[in-house]
């Protein structure tokens, strides 16, 4: 069973005082530090011995871990609190099967009370080394204090980017909410473009991708900065651009290089996989708005 599945299971079995203790620990430790029993008892407004008992129960379930003389939340606890948050806000009702388990996140199908499927993305940046995460995710200084901070930050960044993109193109997934190290998203269909599925018109789809890159740049002032065939989903005649936590604003000093890198990655992939010939320089000029609004046909 994965961390996220254990977290979902905890939802049914934790008692009120255990939840209060977890919330108290989150508050007392600002989400991811440690706290001692005294402070925790004040934060959770429970007597010391009740907190001590709740902590012993939580420790047995891997929801808290001892750190020296204090306690810290585990990934399971953070994810359980996030799921509980969505349930309490009436956004989700049940956790379904895993859609994808990757290096940096796990994505699960969840259902609303009406039975609409949504996608819940749990960040797991801690799985890769921090050096790589730091390089790839543009996290700096205090943000890097712990892996949990990085996961919270990635979820918040992805949500913020998707909110800026919302409604600008059907190729951007809708973000519904975020909580802690997770983001709740509209569930998309299709498969990763990296699987090289048959496409109705590879050239048109490539142009649709580039048009969305251009819209993100010109209207939301954002560059994805990690765009590739792995972060594009397709049904064969439509596309979605996913995975935005590392997106940067057009005020970022490297934004033009990052935009050019995204565009060239797309152009090279379509050439390699589908034989589409498109001039990379012209595609970059189009995406940045330098070259008017019609692309190279
Ligand atoms: N909104 C969604 N609806 C359906 N499936 C999704 C959605 N978002 C992500 N997925 C699935 O989860 C996979 C990983 O998502 P994403 O690329 O956003 O995360 P990641 O952190 O890059 O994870 P990975 O390390 O696996 O690439 C996607 O390739 C896709 O299969
Ligand atoms: Mg990805």
């Amino acid at each position: 069973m994965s961390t996220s599945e254990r977290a979902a299971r905890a939802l049914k079995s934790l008692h009120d005082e255990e939840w209060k203790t977890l919330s108290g620990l989150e508050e007392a430790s600002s989400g991811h530090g440690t706290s001692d029993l005294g402070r925790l008892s004040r934060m959770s407004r429970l007597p010391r011995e009740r907190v001590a008992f709740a902590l012993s129960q939580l420790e047995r379930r891997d929801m808290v871990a001892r750190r020296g003389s204090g306690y810290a939340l585990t990934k399971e606890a953070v994810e359980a609190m996030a799921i509980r948050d969505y349930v309490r806000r009436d956004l989700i009702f049940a956790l379904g099967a895993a859609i994808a388990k990757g290096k940096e996140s796990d994505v699960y199908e969840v259902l609303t009370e009406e039975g609409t499927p949504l996608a819940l993305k749990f960040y797991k940046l801690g799985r890769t080394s921090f050096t790589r995460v730091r390089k790839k995710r543009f996290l700096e200084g205090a943000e890097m204090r712990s892996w949990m901070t990085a996961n919270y930050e990635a979820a918040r960044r992805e949500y913020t980017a998707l909110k800026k993109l919302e409604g600008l193109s059907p190729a951007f997934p809708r973000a519904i909410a975020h909580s802690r190290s997770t983001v709740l998203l509209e569930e998309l269909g299709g498969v990763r473009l990296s699987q090289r599925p048959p496409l109705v018109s590879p050239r048109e789809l490539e142009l649709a991708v580039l048009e969305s890159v251009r819209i993100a740049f010109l209207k939301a002032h954002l560059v994805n900065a990690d765009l590739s065939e792995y972060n594009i989903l397709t049904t064969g005649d439509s596309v979605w651009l996913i995975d935005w936590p590392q997106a940067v604003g057009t005020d970022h000093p490297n934004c033009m290089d990052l935009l050019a890198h995204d565009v060239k990655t797309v152009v090279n992939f379509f050439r390699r996989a589908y034989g589409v010939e498109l001039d990379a320089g012209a595609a970059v000029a189009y995406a940045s708005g330098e070259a008017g609004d019609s692309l190279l046909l």
Side-chain angles (χ1 to χ4, degrees), residues 100 102-105 107 119 121 186-188 192 231 242-243:
K103 287 191 304 294
E104 304 194 326
S105 73
V107 179
K121 180 169 173 179
E186 156 194 22
E187 189 181 359
L188 310 170
R192 291 185 196 211
N231 285 331
I242 63 165
D243 207 6

Side-chain angles (χ1 to χ4, degrees), residues 22-98:
L22 288 180
S23 305
L25 183 50
E26 185 175 46
E27 212 185 321
S29 65
S30 318
H32 31 70
T34 60
S35 175
D36 60 34
L37 194 56
R39 185 169 159 74
L40 199 45
S41 161
R42 286 194 299 282
M43 290 290 189
S44 53
R45 295 188 188 80
L46 290 171
R48 232 179 130 89
E49 63 282 2
R50 298 302 310 165
V51 175
F53 180 69
L55 283 170
S56 68
Q57 298 295 310
L58 290 165
E59 202 183 345
R60 277 199 323 151
R61 296 161 159 275
D62 287 335
M63 304 290 277
V64 299
R66 267 179 218 267
R67 295 275 182 274
S69 59
Y71 292 87
L73 295 170
T74 63
K75 268 188 279 187
E76 280 86 341
V78 166
E79 292 181 356
M81 284 192 280
I83 298 171
R84 185 172 188 247
D85 190 19
Y86 294 128
V87 172
R88 292 185 139 196
R89 289 156 72 188
D90 283 331
L91 294 170
I92 69 172
F93 188 68
L95 185 77

Side-chain angles (χ1 to χ4, degrees), residues 107-142:
V107 179
Y108 279 80
E109 184 173 84
V110 292
L111 296 176
T112 67
E113 195 155 10
E114 294 77 42
T116 309
L118 301 176
L120 180 52
K121 180 169 173 179
F122 295 93
Y123 273 92
K124 313 275 177 169
L125 299 181
R127 276 182 198 160
T128 54
S129 79
F130 267 121
T131 324
R132 256 207 55 212
V133 172
R134 182 161 45 227
K135 272 193 196 146
K136 201 173 160 199
R137 300 283 172 179
F138 303 99
L139 298 175
E140 295 166 357

Side-chain angles (χ1 to χ4, degrees), residues 44-284:
S44 53
R45 295 188 188 80
L46 290 171
R48 232 179 130 89
E49 63 282 2
R50 298 302 310 165
V51 175
F53 180 69
L55 283 170
S56 68
Q57 298 295 310
L58 290 165
E59 202 183 345
R60 277 199 323 151
R61 296 161 159 275
D62 287 335
M63 304 290 277
V64 299
R66 267 179 218 267
R67 295 275 182 274
S69 59
Y71 292 87
L73 295 170
T74 63
K75 268 188 279 187
E76 280 86 341
V78 166
E79 292 181 356
M81 284 192 280
I83 298 171
R84 185 172 188 247
D85 190 19
Y86 294 128
V87 172
R88 292 185 139 196
R89 289 156 72 188
D90 283 331
L91 294 170
I92 69 172
F93 188 68
L95 185 77
I99 298 174
K101 291 190 178 185
K103 287 191 304 294
E104 304 194 326
S105 73
D106 285 350
V107 179
Y108 279 80
E109 184 173 84
V110 292
L111 296 176
T112 67
E113 195 155 10
E114 294 77 42
T116 309
L118 301 176
L120 180 52
K121 180 169 173 179
F122 295 93
Y123 273 92
K124 313 275 177 169
L125 299 181
R127 276 182 198 160
T128 54
S129 79
F130 267 121
T131 324
R132 256 207 55 212
V133 172
R134 182 161 45 227
K135 272 193 196 146
K136 201 173 160 199
R137 300 283 172 179
F138 303 99
L139 298 175
E140 295 166 357
E143 288 171 337
M144 284 305 298
R145 239 176 272 140
S146 74
W147 62 264
M148 203 136 22
T149 312
N151 286 307
Y152 273 57
E153 187 64 6
R156 192 185 60 74
R157 276 173 168 262
E158 175 145 46
Y159 180 77
T160 308
L162 289 175
K163 279 293 163 197
K164 287 187 187 155
L165 295 167
E166 189 165 310
L168 296 178
S169 153
F172 304 134
R174 200 164 62 84
I176 292 149
H178 85 112
S179 178
R180 300 170 177 88
S181 56
T182 73
V183 202
L184 185 61
L185 305 162
E186 156 194 22
E187 189 181 359
L188 310 170
V191 298
R192 291 185 196 211
L193 195 56
S194 58
Q195 292 178 25
R196 304 184 181 210
L199 304 178
V200 175
S201 167
R203 189 179 180 86
E204 271 179 36
L205 271 201
E206 179 174 0
L207 295 179
V209 171
L210 295 173
E211 188 189 8
S212 301
V213 172
R214 175 186 162 94
I215 290 172
F217 188 80
L218 296 180
K219 297 206 173 145
H221 310 292
L222 281 178
V223 178
N224 179 293
D226 191 28
L227 190 62
S228 74
E229 60 274 23
Y230 298 97
N231 285 331
I232 298 174
L233 300 184
T234 182
T235 53
D237 67 354
S238 58
V239 281
W240 289 280
L241 278 50
I242 63 165
D243 207 6
W244 290 81
Q246 68 295 313
V248 299
T250 48
D251 53 355
H252 188 282
N254 291 337
C255 82
M256 293 311 291
D257 292 343
L258 294 164
L259 179 73
H261 188 269
D262 278 357
V263 169
K264 286 176 187 167
T265 305
V266 170
V267 169
N268 290 338
F269 175 76
F270 273 91
R271 178 176 299 125
R272 241 180 17 251
Y274 296 102
V276 182
E277 288 301 332
L278 210 64
D279 181 73
V284 173

